[in-house]
Amino acid sequence: MIPESWRDALAPEFKKDYFKKLNDFLEEEWKKETIFPPKDEIFSALKYATFDSVKVFILGQDPYHGNGQAHGLCFSVRSGVKLPPSLRNIFKEMEADLGIPPSTDGCLEKWAKQGILLLNTVLTVRAHQANSHSKRGWETFTDAIIKMVNEKSTRVVFVLWGNPAQKKIPLIDQSKHTIISSAHPSPLSARRGFIGSCPFSKINKALTESGLAPIDWSLTQPQSQPELPLF
């Protein structure tokens, strides 16, 4: 299920003991539990953002655990699914930063196709049980991906929202890459530094300074709807 552009580089991980244990754990989980995202979407982040195309790396944590939400891209939900609070805050900050009206469509595939790796540190979750697949091996696997991206010769902008993501800073060569960090956009922490952090303009500034094309952050135009509270 690993997309071709990442497969050879990640092949050594598949032979390691932790990955075999992770695979055995998942096989048992699939037999008796509902697991999100579906099997064929676990590695969607790697499918849409090929290794060569990655220029922005937004690191999430745990997949959404509600029905029909997770589809393999961090912070993203399928089209037609109600926006989770963190994503609403992301869109609100994008409007304040860039003047782009909030989208009612939470699918971020358009971002991923522009070279944004939208990767969670844990790639699966049991339905309605947050963090149920943490500390099972996914973190080691996604650390390997961070290290791979860190070895790219071209500059990558790493976006680390919240303390768990910022713990990955030692894996990133800051003499070569750019780190943009702040509080997490969740309602519990957004006021402690995410709101007003202007990450989208900072990302584009870092890209253009490196001679790379900026991201077109616009998604679908919003439909008429009641105003949603920020928190």
mmCIF file with all atom_site columns, all heavy atoms in Angstrom, residues 56 58 91 94 97-98 100 110-111 114 116 118 159 199-201 203-204 207 214-220:
data_model
loop_
_atom_site.group_PDB
_atom_site.id
_atom_site.type_symbol
_atom_site.label_atom_id
_atom_site.label_alt_id
_atom_site.label_comp_id
_atom_site.label_asym_id
_atom_site.label_entity_id
_atom_site.label_seq_id
_atom_site.pdbx_PDB_ins_code
_atom_site.Cartn_x
_atom_site.Cartn_y
_atom_site.Cartn_z
_atom_site.occupancy
_atom_site.B_iso_or_equiv
_atom_site.pdbx_formal_charge
_atom_site.auth_seq_id
_atom_site.auth_comp_id
_atom_site.auth_asym_id
_atom_site.auth_atom_id
_atom_site.pdbx_PDB_model_num
ATOM 1   N N   . VAL A 1 56  ? 6.536   21.255 1.785  1.00 0.00 ? 56  VAL A N   1
ATOM 2   C CA  . VAL A 1 56  ? 5.960   21.640 3.076  1.00 0.00 ? 56  VAL A CA  1
ATOM 3   C C   . VAL A 1 56  ? 5.543   20.357 3.783  1.00 0.00 ? 56  VAL A C   1
ATOM 4   O O   . VAL A 1 56  ? 4.983   19.454 3.162  1.00 0.00 ? 56  VAL A O   1
ATOM 5   C CB  . VAL A 1 56  ? 4.745   22.577 2.916  1.00 0.00 ? 56  VAL A CB  1
ATOM 6   C CG1 . VAL A 1 56  ? 4.155   22.938 4.279  1.00 0.00 ? 56  VAL A CG1 1
ATOM 7   C CG2 . VAL A 1 56  ? 5.119   23.841 2.149  1.00 0.00 ? 56  VAL A CG2 1
ATOM 8   N N   . ILE A 1 58  ? 3.385   19.319 7.050  1.00 0.00 ? 58  ILE A N   1
ATOM 9   C CA  . ILE A 1 58  ? 2.529   19.643 8.195  1.00 0.00 ? 58  ILE A CA  1
ATOM 10  C C   . ILE A 1 58  ? 2.318   18.354 8.979  1.00 0.00 ? 58  ILE A C   1
ATOM 11  O O   . ILE A 1 58  ? 1.783   17.378 8.451  1.00 0.00 ? 58  ILE A O   1
ATOM 12  C CB  . ILE A 1 58  ? 1.186   20.245 7.759  1.00 0.00 ? 58  ILE A CB  1
ATOM 13  C CG1 . ILE A 1 58  ? 1.423   21.570 7.008  1.00 0.00 ? 58  ILE A CG1 1
ATOM 14  C CG2 . ILE A 1 58  ? 0.282   20.483 8.975  1.00 0.00 ? 58  ILE A CG2 1
ATOM 15  C CD1 . ILE A 1 58  ? 0.152   22.245 6.516  1.00 0.00 ? 58  ILE A CD1 1
ATOM 16  N N   . PHE A 1 91  ? -8.952  27.281 9.221  1.00 0.00 ? 91  PHE A N   1
ATOM 17  C CA  . PHE A 1 91  ? -9.549  28.113 8.180  1.00 0.00 ? 91  PHE A CA  1
ATOM 18  C C   . PHE A 1 91  ? -9.755  29.551 8.654  1.00 0.00 ? 91  PHE A C   1
ATOM 19  O O   . PHE A 1 91  ? -9.584  30.505 7.888  1.00 0.00 ? 91  PHE A O   1
ATOM 20  C CB  . PHE A 1 91  ? -10.878 27.510 7.726  1.00 0.00 ? 91  PHE A CB  1
ATOM 21  C CG  . PHE A 1 91  ? -10.744 26.267 6.884  1.00 0.00 ? 91  PHE A CG  1
ATOM 22  C CD1 . PHE A 1 91  ? -11.838 25.445 6.662  1.00 0.00 ? 91  PHE A CD1 1
ATOM 23  C CD2 . PHE A 1 91  ? -9.536  25.910 6.304  1.00 0.00 ? 91  PHE A CD2 1
ATOM 24  C CE1 . PHE A 1 91  ? -11.742 24.309 5.865  1.00 0.00 ? 91  PHE A CE1 1
ATOM 25  C CE2 . PHE A 1 91  ? -9.408  24.770 5.516  1.00 0.00 ? 91  PHE A CE2 1
ATOM 26  C CZ  . PHE A 1 91  ? -10.519 23.965 5.299  1.00 0.00 ? 91  PHE A CZ  1
ATOM 27  N N   . MET A 1 94  ? -6.444  31.180 8.492  1.00 0.00 ? 94  MET A N   1
ATOM 28  C CA  . MET A 1 94  ? -6.085  31.416 7.098  1.00 0.00 ? 94  MET A CA  1
ATOM 29  C C   . MET A 1 94  ? -6.785  32.673 6.563  1.00 0.00 ? 94  MET A C   1
ATOM 30  O O   . MET A 1 94  ? -6.193  33.452 5.819  1.00 0.00 ? 94  MET A O   1
ATOM 31  C CB  . MET A 1 94  ? -6.451  30.202 6.246  1.00 0.00 ? 94  MET A CB  1
ATOM 32  C CG  . MET A 1 94  ? -5.960  30.271 4.807  1.00 0.00 ? 94  MET A CG  1
ATOM 33  S SD  . MET A 1 94  ? -6.142  28.682 3.964  1.00 0.00 ? 94  MET A SD  1
ATOM 34  C CE  . MET A 1 94  ? -7.928  28.530 3.900  1.00 0.00 ? 94  MET A CE  1
ATOM 35  N N   . ASP A 1 97  ? -5.008  35.633 8.101  1.00 0.00 ? 97  ASP A N   1
ATOM 36  C CA  . ASP A 1 97  ? -3.652  35.757 7.581  1.00 0.00 ? 97  ASP A CA  1
ATOM 37  C C   . ASP A 1 97  ? -3.638  36.194 6.119  1.00 0.00 ? 97  ASP A C   1
ATOM 38  O O   . ASP A 1 97  ? -2.892  37.114 5.735  1.00 0.00 ? 97  ASP A O   1
ATOM 39  C CB  . ASP A 1 97  ? -2.950  34.405 7.740  1.00 0.00 ? 97  ASP A CB  1
ATOM 40  C CG  . ASP A 1 97  ? -1.476  34.419 7.367  1.00 0.00 ? 97  ASP A CG  1
ATOM 41  O OD1 . ASP A 1 97  ? -0.936  35.507 7.098  1.00 0.00 ? 97  ASP A OD1 1
ATOM 42  O OD2 . ASP A 1 97  ? -0.862  33.335 7.346  1.00 0.00 ? 97  ASP A OD2 1
ATOM 43  N N   . LEU A 1 98  ? -4.469  35.557 5.292  1.00 0.00 ? 98  LEU A N   1
ATOM 44  C CA  . LEU A 1 98  ? -4.402  35.754 3.849  1.00 0.00 ? 98  LEU A CA  1
ATOM 45  C C   . LEU A 1 98  ? -5.665  36.351 3.233  1.00 0.00 ? 98  LEU A C   1
ATOM 46  O O   . LEU A 1 98  ? -5.670  36.653 2.037  1.00 0.00 ? 98  LEU A O   1
ATOM 47  C CB  . LEU A 1 98  ? -4.107  34.413 3.153  1.00 0.00 ? 98  LEU A CB  1
ATOM 48  C CG  . LEU A 1 98  ? -2.810  33.704 3.538  1.00 0.00 ? 98  LEU A CG  1
ATOM 49  C CD1 . LEU A 1 98  ? -2.712  32.377 2.818  1.00 0.00 ? 98  LEU A CD1 1
ATOM 50  C CD2 . LEU A 1 98  ? -1.600  34.572 3.217  1.00 0.00 ? 98  LEU A CD2 1
ATOM 51  N N   . ILE A 1 100 ? -8.430  34.721 2.811  1.00 0.00 ? 100 ILE A N   1
ATOM 52  C CA  . ILE A 1 100 ? -9.156  33.679 2.077  1.00 0.00 ? 100 ILE A CA  1
ATOM 53  C C   . ILE A 1 100 ? -10.366 33.252 2.899  1.00 0.00 ? 100 ILE A C   1
ATOM 54  O O   . ILE A 1 100 ? -10.210 32.789 4.035  1.00 0.00 ? 100 ILE A O   1
ATOM 55  C CB  . ILE A 1 100 ? -8.251  32.466 1.806  1.00 0.00 ? 100 ILE A CB  1
ATOM 56  C CG1 . ILE A 1 100 ? -7.082  32.877 0.907  1.00 0.00 ? 100 ILE A CG1 1
ATOM 57  C CG2 . ILE A 1 100 ? -9.035  31.333 1.167  1.00 0.00 ? 100 ILE A CG2 1
ATOM 58  C CD1 . ILE A 1 100 ? -6.056  31.777 0.695  1.00 0.00 ? 100 ILE A CD1 1
ATOM 59  N N   . LYS A 1 110 ? -6.225  19.254 -2.292 1.00 0.00 ? 110 LYS A N   1
ATOM 60  C CA  . LYS A 1 110 ? -5.617  20.281 -3.151 1.00 0.00 ? 110 LYS A CA  1
ATOM 61  C C   . LYS A 1 110 ? -4.286  20.754 -2.572 1.00 0.00 ? 110 LYS A C   1
ATOM 62  O O   . LYS A 1 110 ? -3.343  21.017 -3.316 1.00 0.00 ? 110 LYS A O   1
ATOM 63  C CB  . LYS A 1 110 ? -6.568  21.461 -3.329 1.00 0.00 ? 110 LYS A CB  1
ATOM 64  C CG  . LYS A 1 110 ? -6.007  22.569 -4.201 1.00 0.00 ? 110 LYS A CG  1
ATOM 65  C CD  . LYS A 1 110 ? -6.956  23.740 -4.337 1.00 0.00 ? 110 LYS A CD  1
ATOM 66  C CE  . LYS A 1 110 ? -6.316  24.878 -5.138 1.00 0.00 ? 110 LYS A CE  1
ATOM 67  N NZ  . LYS A 1 110 ? -7.192  26.059 -5.245 1.00 0.00 ? 110 LYS A NZ  1
ATOM 68  N N   . TRP A 1 111 ? -4.209  20.870 -1.254 1.00 0.00 ? 111 TRP A N   1
ATOM 69  C CA  . TRP A 1 111 ? -2.948  21.258 -0.623 1.00 0.00 ? 111 TRP A CA  1
ATOM 70  C C   . TRP A 1 111 ? -1.901  20.172 -0.839 1.00 0.00 ? 111 TRP A C   1
ATOM 71  O O   . TRP A 1 111 ? -0.766  20.452 -1.210 1.00 0.00 ? 111 TRP A O   1
ATOM 72  C CB  . TRP A 1 111 ? -3.144  21.491 0.871  1.00 0.00 ? 111 TRP A CB  1
ATOM 73  C CG  . TRP A 1 111 ? -3.982  22.675 1.239  1.00 0.00 ? 111 TRP A CG  1
ATOM 74  C CD1 . TRP A 1 111 ? -4.605  23.551 0.393  1.00 0.00 ? 111 TRP A CD1 1
ATOM 75  C CD2 . TRP A 1 111 ? -4.270  23.122 2.566  1.00 0.00 ? 111 TRP A CD2 1
ATOM 76  N NE1 . TRP A 1 111 ? -5.279  24.513 1.113  1.00 0.00 ? 111 TRP A NE1 1
ATOM 77  C CE2 . TRP A 1 111 ? -5.084  24.275 2.443  1.00 0.00 ? 111 TRP A CE2 1
ATOM 78  C CE3 . TRP A 1 111 ? -3.938  22.670 3.824  1.00 0.00 ? 111 TRP A CE3 1
ATOM 79  C CZ2 . TRP A 1 111 ? -5.561  24.974 3.562  1.00 0.00 ? 111 TRP A CZ2 1
ATOM 80  C CZ3 . TRP A 1 111 ? -4.408  23.355 4.944  1.00 0.00 ? 111 TRP A CZ3 1
ATOM 81  C CH2 . TRP A 1 111 ? -5.214  24.501 4.807  1.00 0.00 ? 111 TRP A CH2 1
ATOM 82  N N   . GLN A 1 114 ? -0.036  19.901 -4.036 1.00 0.00 ? 114 GLN A N   1
ATOM 83  C CA  . GLN A 1 114 ? 0.943   20.957 -4.309 1.00 0.00 ? 114 GLN A CA  1
ATOM 84  C C   . GLN A 1 114 ? 2.277   20.725 -3.594 1.00 0.00 ? 114 GLN A C   1
ATOM 85  O O   . GLN A 1 114 ? 3.140   21.605 -3.569 1.00 0.00 ? 114 GLN A O   1
ATOM 86  C CB  . GLN A 1 114 ? 0.376   22.313 -3.889 1.00 0.00 ? 114 GLN A CB  1
ATOM 87  C CG  . GLN A 1 114 ? -0.842  22.756 -4.696 1.00 0.00 ? 114 GLN A CG  1
ATOM 88  C CD  . GLN A 1 114 ? -1.364  24.093 -4.208 1.00 0.00 ? 114 GLN A CD  1
ATOM 89  O OE1 . GLN A 1 114 ? -0.764  25.134 -4.447 1.00 0.00 ? 114 GLN A OE1 1
ATOM 90  N NE2 . GLN A 1 114 ? -2.488  24.065 -3.508 1.00 0.00 ? 114 GLN A NE2 1
ATOM 91  N N   . ILE A 1 116 ? 2.460   19.421 -0.239 1.00 0.00 ? 116 ILE A N   1
ATOM 92  C CA  . ILE A 1 116 ? 2.346   19.490 1.222  1.00 0.00 ? 116 ILE A CA  1
ATOM 93  C C   . ILE A 1 116 ? 2.112   18.073 1.749  1.00 0.00 ? 116 ILE A C   1
ATOM 94  O O   . ILE A 1 116 ? 1.109   17.441 1.422  1.00 0.00 ? 116 ILE A O   1
ATOM 95  C CB  . ILE A 1 116 ? 1.199   20.408 1.666  1.00 0.00 ? 116 ILE A CB  1
ATOM 96  C CG1 . ILE A 1 116 ? 1.407   21.825 1.130  1.00 0.00 ? 116 ILE A CG1 1
ATOM 97  C CG2 . ILE A 1 116 ? 1.098   20.426 3.188  1.00 0.00 ? 116 ILE A CG2 1
ATOM 98  C CD1 . ILE A 1 116 ? 0.318   22.809 1.558  1.00 0.00 ? 116 ILE A CD1 1
ATOM 99  N N   . LEU A 1 118 ? 0.859   15.980 4.427  1.00 0.00 ? 118 LEU A N   1
ATOM 100 C CA  . LEU A 1 118 ? -0.081  16.118 5.546  1.00 0.00 ? 118 LEU A CA  1
ATOM 101 C C   . LEU A 1 118 ? -0.100  14.803 6.312  1.00 0.00 ? 118 LEU A C   1
ATOM 102 O O   . LEU A 1 118 ? -0.991  13.966 6.156  1.00 0.00 ? 118 LEU A O   1
ATOM 103 C CB  . LEU A 1 118 ? -1.474  16.477 5.034  1.00 0.00 ? 118 LEU A CB  1
ATOM 104 C CG  . LEU A 1 118 ? -1.601  17.845 4.341  1.00 0.00 ? 118 LEU A CG  1
ATOM 105 C CD1 . LEU A 1 118 ? -2.877  17.914 3.498  1.00 0.00 ? 118 LEU A CD1 1
ATOM 106 C CD2 . LEU A 1 118 ? -1.603  18.968 5.372  1.00 0.00 ? 118 LEU A CD2 1
ATOM 107 N N   . VAL A 1 159 ? 6.030   22.357 9.469  1.00 0.00 ? 159 VAL A N   1
ATOM 108 C CA  . VAL A 1 159 ? 5.017   23.079 10.240 1.00 0.00 ? 159 VAL A CA  1
ATOM 109 C C   . VAL A 1 159 ? 4.633   22.212 11.433 1.00 0.00 ? 159 VAL A C   1
ATOM 110 O O   . VAL A 1 159 ? 4.039   21.137 11.266 1.00 0.00 ? 159 VAL A O   1
ATOM 111 C CB  . VAL A 1 159 ? 3.792   23.406 9.378  1.00 0.00 ? 159 VAL A CB  1
ATOM 112 C CG1 . VAL A 1 159 ? 2.772   24.212 10.167 1.00 0.00 ? 159 VAL A CG1 1
ATOM 113 C CG2 . VAL A 1 159 ? 4.219   24.178 8.116  1.00 0.00 ? 159 VAL A CG2 1
ATOM 114 N N   . PRO A 1 199 ? 0.658   31.379 9.946  1.00 0.00 ? 199 PRO A N   1
ATOM 115 C CA  . PRO A 1 199 ? 1.534   30.339 9.391  1.00 0.00 ? 199 PRO A CA  1
ATOM 116 C C   . PRO A 1 199 ? 1.521   30.281 7.869  1.00 0.00 ? 199 PRO A C   1
ATOM 117 O O   . PRO A 1 199 ? 2.540   29.932 7.252  1.00 0.00 ? 199 PRO A O   1
ATOM 118 C CB  . PRO A 1 199 ? 0.977   29.047 9.991  1.00 0.00 ? 199 PRO A CB  1
ATOM 119 C CG  . PRO A 1 199 ? -0.461  29.352 10.269 1.00 0.00 ? 199 PRO A CG  1
ATOM 120 C CD  . PRO A 1 199 ? -0.478  30.788 10.678 1.00 0.00 ? 199 PRO A CD  1
ATOM 121 N N   . PHE A 1 200 ? 0.404   30.626 7.256  1.00 0.00 ? 200 PHE A N   1
ATOM 122 C CA  . PHE A 1 200 ? 0.279   30.440 5.812  1.00 0.00 ? 200 PHE A CA  1
ATOM 123 C C   . PHE A 1 200 ? 1.142   31.433 5.039  1.00 0.00 ? 200 PHE A C   1
ATOM 124 O O   . PHE A 1 200 ? 1.826   31.055 4.081  1.00 0.00 ? 200 PHE A O   1
ATOM 125 C CB  . PHE A 1 200 ? -1.195  30.522 5.418  1.00 0.00 ? 200 PHE A CB  1
ATOM 126 C CG  . PHE A 1 200 ? -2.057  29.603 6.215  1.00 0.00 ? 200 PHE A CG  1
ATOM 127 C CD1 . PHE A 1 200 ? -2.782  30.061 7.315  1.00 0.00 ? 200 PHE A CD1 1
ATOM 128 C CD2 . PHE A 1 200 ? -2.105  28.251 5.922  1.00 0.00 ? 200 PHE A CD2 1
ATOM 129 C CE1 . PHE A 1 200 ? -3.548  29.203 8.084  1.00 0.00 ? 200 PHE A CE1 1
ATOM 130 C CE2 . PHE A 1 200 ? -2.861  27.375 6.679  1.00 0.00 ? 200 PHE A CE2 1
ATOM 131 C CZ  . PHE A 1 200 ? -3.580  27.856 7.770  1.00 0.00 ? 200 PHE A CZ  1
ATOM 132 N N   . SER A 1 201 ? 1.129   32.683 5.465  1.00 0.00 ? 201 SER A N   1
ATOM 133 C CA  . SER A 1 201 ? 2.009   33.662 4.815  1.00 0.00 ? 201 SER A CA  1
ATOM 134 C C   . SER A 1 201 ? 3.469   33.367 5.120  1.00 0.00 ? 201 SER A C   1
ATOM 135 O O   . SER A 1 201 ? 4.348   33.574 4.263  1.00 0.00 ? 201 SER A O   1
ATOM 136 C CB  . SER A 1 201 ? 1.639   35.085 5.254  1.00 0.00 ? 201 SER A CB  1
ATOM 137 O OG  . SER A 1 201 ? 1.768   35.244 6.659  1.00 0.00 ? 201 SER A OG  1
ATOM 138 N N   . ILE A 1 203 ? 4.781   30.369 5.555  1.00 0.00 ? 203 ILE A N   1
ATOM 139 C CA  . ILE A 1 203 ? 5.155   29.243 4.699  1.00 0.00 ? 203 ILE A CA  1
ATOM 140 C C   . ILE A 1 203 ? 5.469   29.739 3.292  1.00 0.00 ? 203 ILE A C   1
ATOM 141 O O   . ILE A 1 203 ? 6.513   29.404 2.713  1.00 0.00 ? 203 ILE A O   1
ATOM 142 C CB  . ILE A 1 203 ? 4.027   28.186 4.659  1.00 0.00 ? 203 ILE A CB  1
ATOM 143 C CG1 . ILE A 1 203 ? 3.879   27.503 6.019  1.00 0.00 ? 203 ILE A CG1 1
ATOM 144 C CG2 . ILE A 1 203 ? 4.296   27.153 3.563  1.00 0.00 ? 203 ILE A CG2 1
ATOM 145 C CD1 . ILE A 1 203 ? 2.613   26.682 6.158  1.00 0.00 ? 203 ILE A CD1 1
ATOM 146 N N   . ASN A 1 204 ? 4.590   30.555 2.737  1.00 0.00 ? 204 ASN A N   1
ATOM 147 C CA  . ASN A 1 204 ? 4.811   31.037 1.373  1.00 0.00 ? 204 ASN A CA  1
ATOM 148 C C   . ASN A 1 204 ? 6.048   31.929 1.275  1.00 0.00 ? 204 ASN A C   1
ATOM 149 O O   . ASN A 1 204 ? 6.769   31.895 0.277  1.00 0.00 ? 204 ASN A O   1
ATOM 150 C CB  . ASN A 1 204 ? 3.570   31.762 0.862  1.00 0.00 ? 204 ASN A CB  1
ATOM 151 C CG  . ASN A 1 204 ? 2.508   30.796 0.360  1.00 0.00 ? 204 ASN A CG  1
ATOM 152 O OD1 . ASN A 1 204 ? 2.743   29.590 0.276  1.00 0.00 ? 204 ASN A OD1 1
ATOM 153 N ND2 . ASN A 1 204 ? 1.340   31.313 0.025  1.00 0.00 ? 204 ASN A ND2 1
ATOM 154 N N   . LEU A 1 207 ? 9.016   29.640 1.173  1.00 0.00 ? 207 LEU A N   1
ATOM 155 C CA  . LEU A 1 207 ? 9.108   28.967 -0.128 1.00 0.00 ? 207 LEU A CA  1
ATOM 156 C C   . LEU A 1 207 ? 9.668   29.902 -1.193 1.00 0.00 ? 207 LEU A C   1
ATOM 157 O O   . LEU A 1 207 ? 10.581  29.536 -1.945 1.00 0.00 ? 207 LEU A O   1
ATOM 158 C CB  . LEU A 1 207 ? 7.736   28.435 -0.551 1.00 0.00 ? 207 LEU A CB  1
ATOM 159 C CG  . LEU A 1 207 ? 7.166   27.270 0.268  1.00 0.00 ? 207 LEU A CG  1
ATOM 160 C CD1 . LEU A 1 207 ? 5.742   26.960 -0.166 1.00 0.00 ? 207 LEU A CD1 1
ATOM 161 C CD2 . LEU A 1 207 ? 8.036   26.022 0.139  1.00 0.00 ? 207 LEU A CD2 1
ATOM 162 N N   . PRO A 1 214 ? 4.935   29.403 -4.279 1.00 0.00 ? 214 PRO A N   1
ATOM 163 C CA  . PRO A 1 214 ? 4.100   29.430 -3.077 1.00 0.00 ? 214 PRO A CA  1
ATOM 164 C C   . PRO A 1 214 ? 2.896   28.514 -3.219 1.00 0.00 ? 214 PRO A C   1
ATOM 165 O O   . PRO A 1 214 ? 2.544   28.093 -4.322 1.00 0.00 ? 214 PRO A O   1
ATOM 166 C CB  . PRO A 1 214 ? 3.679   30.899 -2.977 1.00 0.00 ? 214 PRO A CB  1
ATOM 167 C CG  . PRO A 1 214 ? 3.708   31.381 -4.396 1.00 0.00 ? 214 PRO A CG  1
ATOM 168 C CD  . PRO A 1 214 ? 4.852   30.662 -5.048 1.00 0.00 ? 214 PRO A CD  1
ATOM 169 N N   . ILE A 1 215 ? 2.275   28.216 -2.097 1.00 0.00 ? 215 ILE A N   1
ATOM 170 C CA  . ILE A 1 215 ? 1.080   27.366 -2.073 1.00 0.00 ? 215 ILE A CA  1
ATOM 171 C C   . ILE A 1 215 ? -0.153  28.211 -2.371 1.00 0.00 ? 215 ILE A C   1
ATOM 172 O O   . ILE A 1 215 ? -0.315  29.321 -1.863 1.00 0.00 ? 215 ILE A O   1
ATOM 173 C CB  . ILE A 1 215 ? 0.922   26.688 -0.701 1.00 0.00 ? 215 ILE A CB  1
ATOM 174 C CG1 . ILE A 1 215 ? 2.162   25.843 -0.361 1.00 0.00 ? 215 ILE A CG1 1
ATOM 175 C CG2 . ILE A 1 215 ? -0.358  25.854 -0.645 1.00 0.00 ? 215 ILE A CG2 1
ATOM 176 C CD1 . ILE A 1 215 ? 2.421   24.706 -1.315 1.00 0.00 ? 215 ILE A CD1 1
ATOM 177 N N   . ASP A 1 216 ? -1.032  27.681 -3.203 1.00 0.00 ? 216 ASP A N   1
ATOM 178 C CA  . ASP A 1 216 ? -2.363  28.263 -3.380 1.00 0.00 ? 216 ASP A CA  1
ATOM 179 C C   . ASP A 1 216 ? -3.252  27.627 -2.314 1.00 0.00 ? 216 ASP A C   1
ATOM 180 O O   . ASP A 1 216 ? -3.664  26.481 -2.445 1.00 0.00 ? 216 ASP A O   1
ATOM 181 C CB  . ASP A 1 216 ? -2.884  27.973 -4.782 1.00 0.00 ? 216 ASP A CB  1
ATOM 182 C CG  . ASP A 1 216 ? -4.321  28.448 -4.985 1.00 0.00 ? 216 ASP A CG  1
ATOM 183 O OD1 . ASP A 1 216 ? -4.879  29.126 -4.082 1.00 0.00 ? 216 ASP A OD1 1
ATOM 184 O OD2 . ASP A 1 216 ? -4.901  28.140 -6.045 1.00 0.00 ? 216 ASP A OD2 1
ATOM 185 N N   . TRP A 1 217 ? -3.529  28.372 -1.268 1.00 0.00 ? 217 TRP A N   1
ATOM 186 C CA  . TRP A 1 217 ? -4.255  27.827 -0.123 1.00 0.00 ? 217 TRP A CA  1
ATOM 187 C C   . TRP A 1 217 ? -5.763  27.791 -0.325 1.00 0.00 ? 217 TRP A C   1
ATOM 188 O O   . TRP A 1 217 ? -6.486  27.181 0.474  1.00 0.00 ? 217 TRP A O   1
ATOM 189 C CB  . TRP A 1 217 ? -3.950  28.655 1.128  1.00 0.00 ? 217 TRP A CB  1
ATOM 190 C CG  . TRP A 1 217 ? -2.520  28.617 1.545  1.00 0.00 ? 217 TRP A CG  1
ATOM 191 C CD1 . TRP A 1 217 ? -1.580  29.588 1.352  1.00 0.00 ? 217 TRP A CD1 1
ATOM 192 C CD2 . TRP A 1 217 ? -1.850  27.556 2.240  1.00 0.00 ? 217 TRP A CD2 1
ATOM 193 N NE1 . TRP A 1 217 ? -0.361  29.194 1.871  1.00 0.00 ? 217 TRP A NE1 1
ATOM 194 C CE2 . TRP A 1 217 ? -0.505  27.952 2.425  1.00 0.00 ? 217 TRP A CE2 1
ATOM 195 C CE3 . TRP A 1 217 ? -2.261  26.309 2.715  1.00 0.00 ? 217 TRP A CE3 1
ATOM 196 C CZ2 . TRP A 1 217 ? 0.426   27.145 3.067  1.00 0.00 ? 217 TRP A CZ2 1
ATOM 197 C CZ3 . TRP A 1 217 ? -1.321  25.503 3.359  1.00 0.00 ? 217 TRP A CZ3 1
ATOM 198 C CH2 . TRP A 1 217 ? -0.005  25.923 3.529  1.00 0.00 ? 217 TRP A CH2 1
ATOM 199 N N   . SER A 1 218 ? -6.280  28.441 -1.345 1.00 0.00 ? 218 SER A N   1
ATOM 200 C CA  . SER A 1 218 ? -7.733  28.535 -1.521 1.00 0.00 ? 218 SER A CA  1
ATOM 201 C C   . SER A 1 218 ? -8.325  27.150 -1.786 1.00 0.00 ? 218 SER A C   1
ATOM 202 O O   . SER A 1 218 ? -7.743  26.323 -2.488 1.00 0.00 ? 218 SER A O   1
ATOM 203 C CB  . SER A 1 218 ? -8.069  29.469 -2.671 1.00 0.00 ? 218 SER A CB  1
ATOM 204 O OG  . SER A 1 218 ? -7.540  28.980 -3.893 1.00 0.00 ? 218 SER A OG  1
ATOM 205 N N   . LEU A 1 219 ? -9.478  26.912 -1.221 1.00 0.00 ? 219 LEU A N   1
ATOM 206 C CA  . LEU A 1 219 ? -10.213 25.674 -1.454 1.00 0.00 ? 219 LEU A CA  1
ATOM 207 C C   . LEU A 1 219 ? -11.539 26.056 -2.114 1.00 0.00 ? 219 LEU A C   1
ATOM 208 O O   . LEU A 1 219 ? -11.568 26.935 -2.957 1.00 0.00 ? 219 LEU A O   1
ATOM 209 C CB  . LEU A 1 219 ? -10.391 24.921 -0.132 1.00 0.00 ? 219 LEU A CB  1
ATOM 210 C CG  . LEU A 1 219 ? -9.074  24.447 0.508  1.00 0.00 ? 219 LEU A CG  1
ATOM 211 C CD1 . LEU A 1 219 ? -9.303  23.967 1.932  1.00 0.00 ? 219 LEU A CD1 1
ATOM 212 C CD2 . LEU A 1 219 ? -8.452  23.318 -0.318 1.00 0.00 ? 219 LEU A CD2 1
ATOM 213 N N   . THR A 1 220 ? -12.631 25.427 -1.742 1.00 0.00 ? 220 THR A N   1
ATOM 214 C CA  . THR A 1 220 ? -13.911 25.800 -2.334 1.00 0.00 ? 220 THR A CA  1
ATOM 215 C C   . THR A 1 220 ? -14.428 27.075 -1.689 1.00 0.00 ? 220 THR A C   1
ATOM 216 O O   . THR A 1 220 ? -14.107 27.390 -0.538 1.00 0.00 ? 220 THR A O   1
ATOM 217 C CB  . THR A 1 220 ? -14.953 24.682 -2.132 1.00 0.00 ? 220 THR A CB  1
ATOM 218 O OG1 . THR A 1 220 ? -15.113 24.457 -0.723 1.00 0.00 ? 220 THR A OG1 1
ATOM 219 C CG2 . THR A 1 220 ? -14.494 23.388 -2.784 1.00 0.00 ? 220 THR A CG2 1
#
